[in-house]
Amino acid sequence: MSAALFDSALYGKLVPTGEVGRLFTDSAEVRAMMIVEGALARVQGAAGLIPEVSAKAIHRASLELQLDPAGLAEATGQNGVPVPALVSAFRELMQAPEHAQYVHFGATSQDVTDTALMLRLRQVLGHYETALDRVIAALAAQAEAHAETPMAARTYLQHATPTSFGALAAAWGWPLLELREELAALKTGLWVSLSGAAGTASALGPDPSALRAELAQALNLEDPGRSWHTDRTPILRLGAWIARITGALAKLGEDLTLLAASETREVTLGGTGASSTMPQKQNPVAPSVLTMLGTHAGGLAQTLTTAGRQRHQRDGAAWFTEWMVLPQLCLAGAAALETAGPLLEGLAPRTEAMAATLAGAKGALAAEALSFALAREMPRPEAQAAMKALAREAAESGADLVALAAERHPGITPADFTPEALLGTAPAEARGFARAARIPPAAGG
Amino acid sequence: MSAALFDSALYGKLVPTGEVGRLFTDSAEVRAMMIVEGALARVQGAAGLIPEVSAKAIHRASLELQLDPAGLAEATGQNGVPVPALVSAFRELMQAPEHAQYVHFGATSQDVTDTALMLRLRQVLGHYETALDRVIAALAAQAEAHAETPMAARTYLQHATPTSFGALAAAWGWPLLELREELAALKTGLWVSLSGAAGTASALGPDPSALRAELAQALNLEDPGRSWHTDRTPILRLGAWIARITGALAKLGEDLTLLAASETREVTLGGTGASSTMPQKQNPVAPSVLTMLGTHAGGLAQTLTTAGRQRHQRDGAAWFTEWMVLPQLCLAGAAALETAGPLLEGLAPRTEAMAATLAGAKGALAAEALSFALAREMPRPEAQAAMKALAREAAESGADLVALAAERHPGITPADFTPEALLGTAPAEARGFARAARIPPAAGG
Amino acid sequence: MSAALFDSALYGKLVPTGEVGRLFTDSAEVRAMMIVEGALARVQGAAGLIPEVSAKAIHRASLELQLDPAGLAEATGQNGVPVPALVSAFRELMQAPEHAQYVHFGATSQDVTDTALMLRLRQVLGHYETALDRVIAALAAQAEAHAETPMAARTYLQHATPTSFGALAAAWGWPLLELREELAALKTGLWVSLSGAAGTASALGPDPSALRAELAQALNLEDPGRSWHTDRTPILRLGAWIARITGALAKLGEDLTLLAASETREVTLGGTGASSTMPQKQNPVAPSVLTMLGTHAGGLAQTLTTAGRQRHQRDGAAWFTEWMVLPQLCLAGAAALETAGPLLEGLAPRTEAMAATLAGAKGALAAEALSFALAREMPRPEAQAAMKALAREAAESGADLVALAAERHPGITPADFTPEALLGTAPAEARGFARAARIPPAAGG
Amino acid sequence: MSAALFDSALYGKLVPTGEVGRLFTDSAEVRAMMIVEGALARVQGAAGLIPEVSAKAIHRASLELQLDPAGLAEATGQNGVPVPALVSAFRELMQAPEHAQYVHFGATSQDVTDTALMLRLRQVLGHYETALDRVIAALAAQAEAHAETPMAARTYLQHATPTSFGALAAAWGWPLLELREELAALKTGLWVSLSGAAGTASALGPDPSALRAELAQALNLEDPGRSWHTDRTPILRLGAWIARITGALAKLGEDLTLLAASETREVTLGGTGASSTMPQKQNPVAPSVLTMLGTHAGGLAQTLTTAGRQRHQRDGAAWFTEWMVLPQLCLAGAAALETAGPLLEGLAPRTEAMAATLAGAKGALAAEALSFALAREMPRPEAQAAMKALAREAAESGADLVALAAERHPGITPADFTPEALLGTAPAEARGFARAARIPPAAGG
């Protein structure tokens, strides 16, 4: 146990974050800030704001120097922000004061931390995209393969009507597909920041707009065309998006936990979850992790919303809050995707158990269909009342509802009321998702 | 005090919700559900699924009949959902059982409640759009008018550098402009629901997809081309968007509260906020309301995220949770916009107070600019150290920093360091926002 | 649908709040504030701070006058707090300006609103106590009656070992019993407020402490011996307590939803939850309501925590936030208790279904016990491995695990491994709770 | 940046957690679990449940063996809980299978993790107590020293009446003193867990209650007299308490940020908060950290509430959620206390600035007192109206309100309306807190 499970040597593998984990280390952050300082010097040199030779020296140094995060800790604790210490250490390590003086020229700490964050978020989104595609592909495969595999649909955890496992896979997948399509907009929302101490770029030369545009191009980020120190739109958009990702996967986790329950066992999850004292048990560990991540991420996303309320031209408390929760939120999203991918690839519906559930329900899931059939013989309210009575009788006597209905109403043909006959649009829902999942998102996504 | 201030006869005007308030009443909800039942019958009649004459009778009745919400309460408490009671009351009131039996034919409760919700959310978004445009226009006017009105920028509540009031108005406005642009996508995300008991449309005739498309057209909603009972994407997208609206306006509220503080008084808010015992006081009531709404909405949006986790094919608890928080969230957003509009229109910066703040700071806000000026004479780290020493000396002696710097460094010309001279891009930031605010959003937005 | 379901004519019976609902109406609030003004005048008259005759007139008027909350709405919207308008209307209605001028003498709005709130919270706690006792008694009865009724314990929704239904009832009840015991401290934490505009009682005569003590006695509240405008301890303590109440009942709701699931049906809930289209369905409406209330209350309690952060000597935004969420939180707690009481009284375990579950598990729940038995014959790790192999074999072949174990290990006597034989401390856990539930809490609780 | 700032080499000193940080490391957790296994063996040996010689060997090994957390990671990721891997590694490392087989005899993973958690929480509470005492002592010293130091009270950030800095210190302190008093109950709420796989202690010998009592005594924890796997009362109580601690300190942080604002500067915070580009700035870093921690902890506490909803006899998702947020919550509380202590000890009110604020307000803060003085000459409503008019006139003309009032109303003596004369109970409030802070809490606290 560390502050968060993600960093724990003991628990880390319970919440695997893949490549995203490496982006939220101290060294990755320091590296990203140095890249920003280097690129800034380069564009300032090209613009004649600082000597070209100094710019080159700084840029080169930004790629070569190694700064130890721990060495910046004392000053970061004092200043609240690591940039002053980083700039100072950078300058010293360069051992060329005539060039080093141009490091961080006219920028403010937030320009550096925000731009460095955006650089890492671009990578985060790249990894998310890959992981999300894997999850969607796994769901599409399940949807396709089981488009016509009957199972009980459940509302309020009660048997409702038949559906197919493929339709359930589609239901898991659609929200993710929506989120996948929104990725393009998130990417173009990764902005460069360059507007100085209070957003007015007053120490950034005669044409700060052009400079910002150059920096954006150098770092392959978007130029928002303005200052955005207190406008946390890119962060808030991402936070809400991740909360929806983890929420969608938490539903998957909950559904799988329920379907794996001892009384149901309609899915096989693969071999995890030993108990320390009960030899027979297999716990749905990965689904439980998904549920947990959804809950945790939901809380973090709300705190992030609060952090978006930057007073005046910068707010220390809001800023620190963002630093506290955004990494965890990104890691939670990553862990959810990294957990869901293999889980879905190893997931197998137990079709015989699904069939047994349907059989065991003794026609109860056909009740709606039977009531519509009866409504062809009598007014609909009467048909509904008749079915209610039949359902009660069947439940009490243990009789099969379809058989009972056929006995009482000769117009009823049992073969029309098998689960397979009552799938409705479930197969089409499943195949529709599989098809949509195969369409690549529009350019940029 | 009612459960929520919005419904309170005593407190309601503290949180004015305008037209949106009327959309979240019991009667508006019942009306919307009846419209859905009427439209459903009409398209089912046209498709030959129910007798055309019955369809017409139902459709007519759906427009004419008045159902008392209280009359449905008992059954709603029992069933958890109002539709069974509504259908039953509808049928009875029609006094034409031969037609009435076709009310709600093959649909499930959730089809009706979700579609009826979407109808009302379309109106909500319409009102939001109008209110948001008003807020943005007020901000654009402030930004334009005060593009060059100097004031102190503050970071961590400390004087930083000069900026302009127009630039601050722009900073308030940009997140709203981003949100304004996202409205179009929210609108096209208002989906019709028609997929029956468990999302498989099994009782909706031979071509349920066509029927859903017809219903969408009849109600002027989008056809998602699929079942979405458990996919709360439209709700979650809206919830996150509202949380960002109220968050952006909470920043406005906080800033105005701070700027109106007795020690600062850089804005005039208009005449609200009497104290029961202190005759001299004018409290920033409306800004405090904005802050409160941001906090409340943030909490509700998180709970809504949890509500998005619909287990299996429908989850009662998740569904009820959505019902509990979504109306409040919509009302909070409406109240924030309704409060911010008049507040901003009546807002007046006290330019003389802003100038006095800058004068009182005795050149401290020029420190950054002075340090860059010194850096032309000496290496930058030395210049920074020299400025730090000068700033300390000025603070201790009460001297004006610019005058002191000019005295020590003849290259420094005081006229270059007035607030007006140090606005940097603030005027351009302000005017850039005003310009962007006047561009109508792309079609559909 | 109103802002919150509690106030809805349509949905109100889904979330019944009993007597507590009446305490959070506008008229109840106005009444409570008038009682405070009346009592204040009385103690000020007795102390000679205002003329005794005026004090009597005010006190009498406070009991007799009827103020229309709606008539105070305009000014409340302006002032942010209803007291100035209330005082003004009170004075006018008295039609005796010579006395009326002494209404609200030296007090501040917050003294009145906070004290009036405490008066109502005392009643809230009274109703909670009654409702909580009813819930605990119902659980104690279930625990007692079913102390030895075997059922499957489930961890991660997987069969674990046998337990008894009574032990489960005890597990539901213990957290409530802890909360019941904390009630006494909550009650003594209901403080009178009387400290004037900024907490210094500067307009409350020569001995404000004595006056506050008198007021406390007159209203039967506690005298904290100090000003507490910004110290929201009583509210925060209550909020956290309610969140735990609703959380404990949400577990109950979740468990009942799971136990009522179609595959399990180990409980009967009573006759609610009809579907609009599926005649056979009985939805667990009340348990779903409990889950929802837990989720909603959790969110509100967090927002209340934020509201506790009162800046300086009073913070409008924090105060408004408290007003927005506290009533709902109290109502959510009340609704949870009002829902749980009847639900538990009507709850019936289906013991035959519980037995069938245990039988259907074919000895799997005896695995732990079997492994301990084997450990008497061989080292424990070997015994665990042997049991794991047997469990796998039994699962694959469909054999009964106990029978299989007995066949292989003659030392195993099947009769020692029936569910009844493996209840362990479950009966004692159940009876221990029933016993504890019958002990009245210490005086004051 | 790590997942959470607490673990970051770069940011760690911004959120110093002192000794508490060491309790939430992987090695501290493994160590605590081993202590539990050792103590369990010892009491089982004494009870004759396992051979005494094995018990001794296990107990000794539990103190001597070093287990590498990383070595347990793979299995922990698989099983979801570290205990199976820990038990297995423990047994292997003992190199004495005849004894090692009795490790973890009849216990379940949760018995070990919960008891080990309680052991660490006892230490957490110890550190909290020390840190809280330091904070309270610092506040008491400020309250005492500045009981009569006049300053402006502010409501809605508007000048209200005079108060004293000591009274403000008391207002910061009272909620902490309430929390300090609740510590005793928290400590006695640290329970031992020993109830086996599903809470029925079925594999824990003939007298599991006695065994649990012995274990409690061996580990110096409380024996709750029952199973509590799903009753998270101790955790929830602690979580709510920490949220109140961090909330109270967030108010302190907000107040100090506001009092340190450039326009106010009524406090000196000590030398932190350099800017990377503005030489004159001193940012209120520590107060901002306090605000952030309050916000973060509030979010975590809500998630913890959700985690308290343990379904059936154990719920993986709820359990994992608790693991994710509880450590951070404890660390947030620790960081808030560790930050507040030194901050308050170094805090100095700038009494001359406070006096200047009062002087600059030109009598406005005397308005309430003046209106009461006038009310001795005329009916109170008239007096209030007269004062309102005078206040407006003074504000417009720039005149001193007291002088103006004295000029118009000869009964007014200016000397009665100085800040010092209008402190009301502020000095007594300050000294009352200082006195209360010196009283040691009742035994056990």
Side-chain angles (χ1 to χ4, degrees), chain B residues 35-356:
Chain B
I35 287 170
V36 174
E37 296 285 8
L40 175 64
R42 205 163 51 137
V43 300
Q44 287 180 318
L49 291 171
I50 65 173
E52 189 103 44
V53 57
S54 299
K56 279 190 177 137
I58 294 168
H59 184 247
R60 200 177 327 111
S62 77
L63 301 173
E64 290 168 3
L65 294 178
Q66 298 289 341
L67 287 188
D68 175 20
L72 313 177
E74 194 67 50
T76 302
Q78 288 265 320
N79 300 330
V81 58
V83 179
L86 179 134
V87 168
S88 163
F90 191 142
R91 284 179 182 158
E92 202 170 318
L93 270 180
M94 274 185 74
Q95 295 187 298
E98 69 283 14
H99 302 317
Q101 63 174 312
Y102 296 109
V103 171
H104 189 71
F105 196 78
T108 196
S109 291
Q110 191 172 358
D111 291 332
V112 176
T113 57
D114 273 355
T115 304
L117 176 63
M118 292 293 133
L119 285 179
R120 290 184 295 146
L121 290 182
R122 191 182 56 202
Q123 291 178 273
V124 169
L125 289 183
H127 293 305
Y128 270 41
E129 187 170 334
T130 306
L132 189 50
D133 283 345
R134 179 180 175 183
V135 169
I136 290 170
L139 285 167
Q142 297 277 7
E144 186 89 54
H146 298 286
E148 313 216 15
T149 303
M151 74 181 293
R154 292 156 174 106
T155 60
Y156 292 78
L157 272 63
Q158 301 291 309
H159 291 163
T161 71
T163 186
S164 75
F165 183 67
L168 178 56
W172 291 331
W174 273 114
L176 296 171
L177 214 52
E178 295 279 347
L179 287 155
R180 178 71 178 80
E181 268 166 35
E182 295 174 28
L183 251 179
L186 285 183
K187 282 183 182 174
T188 57
L190 298 175
W191 298 338
V192 80
S193 176
L194 188 61
S195 47
T200 62
S202 49
L204 285 160
D207 192 353
S209 292
L211 198 67
R212 185 180 53 224
E214 293 295 330
L215 185 62
Q217 197 171 26
L219 292 169
N220 195 18
L221 294 171
E222 295 287 316
D223 174 14
R226 56 181 169 95
S227 171
W228 59 280
H229 287 168
T230 63
D231 174 7
R232 310 313 286 167
T233 295
I235 306 292
L236 295 176
R237 245 190 311 228
L238 176 65
W241 186 86
I242 295 178
R244 281 168 54 207
I245 289 273
T246 55
L249 295 175
K251 175 202 168 25
L252 170 67
E254 281 291 277
D255 282 358
L256 290 179
T257 300
L258 290 167
L259 291 174
S262 293
E263 294 82 16
T264 310
R265 289 199 200 282
E266 294 188 358
V267 292
T268 302
L269 296 173
T272 65
S275 156
S276 73
T277 186
M278 292 174 285
Q280 86 286 10
K281 283 202 62 180
Q282 287 288 92
N283 291 323
V285 172
S288 301
V289 166
L290 291 179
T291 301
M292 174 272 278
L293 290 168
T295 301
H296 187 44
L300 295 172
Q302 182 193 350
T303 303
L304 194 65
T305 300
T306 306
R309 210 186 291 174
Q310 286 264 352
R311 288 175 295 192
H312 285 326
Q313 278 73 22
R314 182 172 306 118
D315 186 293
W319 208 16
F320 299 164
T321 307
E322 188 179 300
W323 299 350
M324 185 58 104
V325 298
L326 182 61
Q328 285 190 67
L329 188 53
C330 290
L331 292 167
L337 288 166
E338 293 290 332
T339 299
L343 175 64
L344 286 166
E345 286 160 3
L347 179 71
R350 296 182 65 234
T351 54
E352 72 295 355
M354 290 173 171

Side-chain angles (χ1 to χ4, degrees), chain B residues 73-74 76-78, chain C residues 5 8-16:
Chain B
E74 194 67 50
T76 302
Q78 288 265 320
Chain C
L5 297 183
S8 163
L10 182 56
Y11 290 95
K13 296 197 175 178
L14 188 59
V15 284

